[in-house]
Amino acid sequence: MSMTEEERVRQIMENHVRGDQTGAKLVWNPETKMIETIDPAASKDPKQLDQKLIIEPSDMGHFAESNPAPVIVLSAENMAGHTGAGCFPHAFRCLDEGDAYSDIHTEQAGTAVQGSVCLTASDTNTPVDECGRPHDRVRVILNRDSLSNPAALDRSNSNGNERPRGYVLQREGWIEADVQFAPIKDDLYSRTRGILETSVLADQCVAVLGLGSGGAQIAWELGKLGLRQILVDGDRLEIHNVVRHIGGLSDVGRYKTKIMKERILDINPYASLETWEMMMDASTQDLLLEIVEKSDLVIGAVDDHDARMRINRACVELKTPLILAGVFRRAYGGQVLYVRPGETPCYQCFTQALPDTVCDREISSSRAAEGLAYTDRPAAIEPGLSIDIAPISHMVEKLTVQNLLQGRPTSLRSLDEDLTASWFLWLNRREEDTSYEQLKPLQCGVNGMSILRWYGVDLPRNPACPCCGDFEQYIAGKEELVLHPEDTAAFGEREAE
């Protein structure tokens, strides 16, 4: 069946879009009264080029539908493992129904497909059909010498035969794909240079204990900084966690530690991570001490009071800085306690000074509800919004970075003068039946206490604290401990007033 004129023109244009006739032009032939394709370099009739209708290949996108070329992403470090000329098997992940192929984290999401990397000794003009293996879906052809120069792997920095060529097998055969190379390790943090040289954190280790909505966000952000992390949580992701957690529906039933390890490695494949699926109770106290001992700083993002006390005691005993994050009920606000053993109050000091504040915590799980419920009145599970938890997580992240960068030159150094408090308070809204219900609206005011602002409070240590003080000395009566009301005036209701 012969094509109509419309079908014939469309076929010509689609050929141009695919690059099948690169360099050719379309002209109107007044003799045949048809649109024709000519090659300007081979044309024997100069008059053809004088026709008014000349359509360049770049114009074809206006006339014919076309799909963008797929993308092949290669890890420069994976490529460095290939030596000598020849074709080597290389595994890829097929993403977005064949729109992208990647060799980064082949164990992650995506369909695994076979591919080949073909290294040539001189140039990359080898035809795609003459390299690779029979069942390849992806093939990349590049100059062997370019592997010694990571910059040459970038398509934009390559010229002539040095340019890597990528191909993906589709129904119509091998089609050319864009080749991109993932940055080498030193370039991964290039956007933070001048603000924070992340290499200085490479030898630092942070333990994040608790990977709920807040702890997961903290671990994820710290994972971008190049430091080592120990992730601890004994819970699995449940369906009701999904609206606030980094994990999604496909992660329900998985340990939160496994989810976060996968997420962090996806943004930083060089991250050093250690995971422990455990609860922090009497049975794991020895292991908790081991984790704290090899950490430069500990973050407590658990909502269980007993677990916090155990973490606090371990950090005080080993003189390890501790940052405890907490969210008030329904996340109307939150607080961060920054414990520097021997310098600031510990969590037990805090609980003795402000017991009401300690009890005001988010009820986001059945276990938390059971711990607070009365026999005749169960506690309702009323978690807050993730956007209300985020400010608390971000403050923990800032305090962590400042602590780990002590004594190192950085443009963040000025924050040392701001983040000196031991207790930081944040309010998301004026919640009913709280001390903050009558605060004046934020509006344009700058004086007085209001919502959506951080407040740093300098808490005194309790010298008779059973954890960080000399409790036995006071019990023995060697010294007299006198606490006046004004000593705790800054702790509670008066601060809100």
Side-chain angles (χ1 to χ4, degrees):
M1 179 184 295
S2 60
M3 290 190 297
T4 65
E5 180 67 5
E6 180 180 355
E7 291 172 337
R8 191 184 66 82
V9 172
R10 174 169 288 277
Q11 183 63 56
I12 292 174
M13 293 179 177
E14 288 179 351
N15 289 342
H16 277 258
V17 171
R18 288 198 300 265
D20 293 349
Q21 293 173 295
T22 303
K25 295 185 178 182
L26 295 183
V27 299
W28 171 255
N29 188 332
E31 297 179 0
T32 62
K33 302 187 184 304
M34 296 176 64
I35 294 177
E36 298 177 352
T37 302
I38 67 167
D39 183 349
S43 176
K44 298 179 180 179
D45 185 0
K47 293 183 178 181
Q48 284 186 309
L49 302 180
D50 295 333
Q51 305 301 323
K52 293 183 178 180
L53 180 62
I54 298 180
I55 305 177
E56 303 286 351
S58 59
D59 298 323
M60 291 303 103
H62 299 290
F63 301 102
E65 295 181 359
S66 64
N67 294 321
V71 174
I72 300 173
V73 180
L74 291 168
S75 165
E77 294 192 344
N78 288 344
M79 291 295 96
H82 295 303
T83 58
C87 291
F88 304 90
H90 203 81
F92 291 88
R93 285 182 300 132
C94 175
L95 304 169
D96 302 328
E97 300 179 348
D99 181 62
Y101 295 83
S102 173
D103 75 339
I104 302 175
H105 297 325
T106 55
E107 74 278 8
Q108 303 295 319
T111 305
V113 298
Q114 294 183 14
S116 294
V117 173
C118 302
L119 302 180
T120 64
S122 56
D123 57 48
T124 57
N125 283 332
T126 304
V128 64
D129 293 328
E130 297 180 9
C131 61
R133 299 175 298 167
H135 300 292
D136 283 345
R137 286 273 305 278
V138 181
R139 288 175 181 170
V140 177
I141 306 171
L142 53 86
N143 190 308
R144 178 187 60 187
D145 296 336
S146 65
L147 294 180
S148 61
N149 180 12
L153 293 175
D154 186 345
R155 183 170 188 166
S156 62
N157 292 336
S158 302
N159 298 309
N161 294 332
E162 294 296 325
R163 180 177 65 83
R165 291 189 294 134
Y167 295 89
V168 172
L169 184 62
Q170 295 189 355
R171 289 183 179 180
E172 59 270 30
W174 290 101
I175 66 169
E176 191 164 3
D178 291 330
V179 179
Q180 297 180 7
F181 284 84
I184 59 176
K185 186 174 182 179
D186 291 342
D187 290 336
L188 185 62
Y189 309 108
S190 59
R191 295 301 176 93
T192 66
R193 288 173 183 159
I195 300 174
L196 172 64
E197 300 298 337
T198 53
S199 60
V200 304
L201 297 177
D203 60 345
Q204 302 289 298
C205 180
V206 174
V208 181
L209 311 182
L211 296 172
S213 304
Q217 181 68 37
I218 293 168
W220 191 68
E221 290 293 341
L222 295 181
K224 303 173 184 178
L225 300 178
L227 49 77
R228 293 181 293 125
Q229 290 192 79
I230 303 175
L231 308 179
V232 181
D233 198 304
D235 285 337
R236 298 175 184 269
L237 190 71
E238 299 180 18
I239 189 70
H240 58 266
N241 300 141
V242 171
V243 295
R244 307 194 313 162
H245 202 272
I246 287 179
L249 286 172
S250 60
D251 296 309
V252 170
R254 300 178 63 196
Y255 278 112
K256 294 176 180 177
T257 51
K258 305 293 187 184
I259 297 170
M260 291 314 303
K261 181 177 181 179
E262 183 178 286
R263 294 295 191 276
I264 293 171
L265 288 176
D266 196 40
I267 58 173
N268 182 4
Y270 312 103
S272 175
L273 301 170
E274 180 181 331
T275 60
W276 291 92
E277 293 74 44
M278 71 177 203
M279 297 296 183
M280 280 151 281
D281 52 28
S283 66
T284 58
Q285 187 65 24
D286 290 342
L287 181 54
L288 176 62
L289 282 169
E290 292 179 15
I291 292 172
V292 172
E293 187 171 19
K294 56 185 178 181
S295 302
D296 296 292
L297 182 141
V298 172
I299 295 172
V302 295
D303 56 9
D304 181 76
H305 174 70
D306 290 340
R308 289 185 179 185
M309 293 291 279
R310 293 181 184 279
I311 296 169
N312 177 72
R313 181 167 292 277
C315 289
V316 170
E317 179 180 334
L318 297 171
K319 295 181 173 54
T320 303
L322 168 65
I323 301 176
L324 286 168
V327 179
F328 300 146
R329 63 184 183 274
R330 303 201 314 145
Y332 76 82
Q335 59 191 352
V336 177
L337 185 67
Y338 187 12
V339 180
R340 286 149 283 180
E343 301 177 24
T344 65
C346 72
Y347 179 65
Q348 191 154 346
C349 294
F350 183 68
T351 60
Q352 292 174 336
L354 300 169
D356 292 340
T357 302
V358 173
C359 293
D360 186 358
R361 64 180 188 269
E362 185 186 42
I363 306 175
S364 58
S365 66
S366 300
R367 187 171 63 251
E370 291 171 359
L372 294 174
Y374 295 99
T375 56
D376 61 340
R377 190 180 64 185
I381 299 176
E382 295 182 307
L385 301 175
S386 59
I387 57 174
D388 289 333
I389 298 172
I392 317 303
S393 300
H394 292 331
M395 176 57 84
V396 173
E397 295 151 17
K398 280 192 170 292
L399 288 172
T400 298
V401 171
Q402 288 303 118
N403 181 279
L404 298 179
L405 289 176
Q406 288 181 17
R408 303 174 189 263
T410 168
S411 59
L412 302 177
R413 196 74 291 134
S414 63
L415 283 174
D416 290 342
E417 300 176 11
D418 299 278
L419 304 177
T420 61
S422 53
W423 179 38
F424 295 91
L425 176 67
W426 171 272
L427 299 172
N428 284 307
R429 59 182 180 272
R430 300 184 299 280
E431 185 79 350
E432 294 182 2
D433 300 324
T434 69
S435 305
Y436 312 107
E437 180 181 3
Q438 301 303 322
L439 290 178
K440 294 180 180 180
L442 173 63
Q443 297 178 337
C444 298
V446 293
N447 297 320
M449 192 173 185
S450 67
I451 63 167
L452 300 178
R453 288 178 180 167
W454 277 106
Y455 294 92
V457 183
D458 186 20
L459 296 177
R461 290 179 61 198
N462 179 2
C465 174
C467 182
C468 71
D470 199 342
F471 181 71
E472 293 182 0
Q473 183 179 15
Y474 286 107
I475 290 296
K478 294 182 179 180
E479 290 187 30
E480 182 180 1
L481 174 64
V482 180
L483 293 178
H484 300 283
E486 58 268 21
D487 293 333
T488 58
F491 297 167
E493 308 299 333
R494 299 185 186 182
E495 182 65 20
E497 297 172 0

